Amino acid sequence: MSRDKKPDPTLDRFLDELTEDVMSMTDAELLAELAEEGTDPVAEAQAARDAIAAGLNRAGRAKLEAARAAVTRDRAAHVVHLPVSSDRRADVLARFANDDVKLKSRLTMAARKGEGITANEADAILRNLRELGAIDDDGNPSDG
């Protein structure tokens, strides 16, 4: 049902009163009224369930399509960079460690098998350097 037109207060009031009347009926009263009209309560209940299920399916499909569109949009917006190769990782980090005492200390401890930098931490540092424009995708110093 479309609501492109202005709300009709008379119609809204009528629908509210009708809803209130139906909700205040007992099951027996409702079944008696349906029988008086020649309506099959089982068929009407099934039709209502079918309508609700169809609406839920449409809403679910719409959510799925929106999610797919968001994934497609995000994939297009984010370029995935592979980490600097493990054989180059130490060289790239060492080049920047000369300017960062804390990083140099962690790398030294790692070389001595101490509690130093992990591979995940190294990758995170390299990602940050790449995002800052300090290195390119291969770990080479950037020209900028």
Side-chain angles (χ1 to χ4, degrees):
M1 184 161 101
S2 179
R3 283 218 155 223
D4 295 337
K5 298 178 182 176
K6 283 177 48 176
D8 181 351
T10 305
L11 178 61
D12 288 342
R13 190 172 50 255
F14 170 74
L15 291 173
D16 288 343
E17 289 173 9
L18 181 62
T19 302
E20 188 176 316
D21 287 346
V22 171
M23 296 301 289
S24 67
M25 295 173 97
T26 65
D27 290 348
E29 291 171 332
L30 183 57
L31 290 173
E33 188 167 321
L34 290 172
E36 185 178 308
E37 293 175 3
T39 304
D40 179 8
V42 174
E44 289 298 314
Q46 187 58 49
R49 282 192 292 275
D50 291 346
I52 291 169
L56 290 173
N57 285 337
R58 280 192 306 276
R61 279 193 300 274
K63 283 183 181 180
L64 179 60
E65 288 304 316
R68 283 183 177 153
V71 167
T72 301
R73 185 179 58 248
D74 287 349
R75 281 185 181 155
H78 295 72
V79 176
V80 177
H81 296 286
L82 297 174
V84 174
S85 64
S86 58
D87 58 328
R88 296 228 18 198
R89 183 185 294 145
D91 292 337
V92 173
L93 290 173
R95 187 172 61 238
F96 285 93
N98 290 329
D99 296 331
D100 186 334
V101 176
K102 186 176 179 182
L103 176 58
K104 189 171 190 171
S105 169
R106 305 257 340 253
L107 291 173
T108 302
M109 288 187 336
R112 292 191 317 243
K113 306 277 187 220
E115 291 290 323
I117 193 167
T118 67
N120 286 342
E121 290 172 318
D123 288 341
I125 292 168
L126 292 170
R127 255 192 320 275
N128 290 339
L129 290 171
R130 188 181 299 121
E131 288 173 8
L132 291 169
I135 61 172
D136 65 13
D137 290 345
D138 296 319
N140 301 314
S142 292
D143 296 332

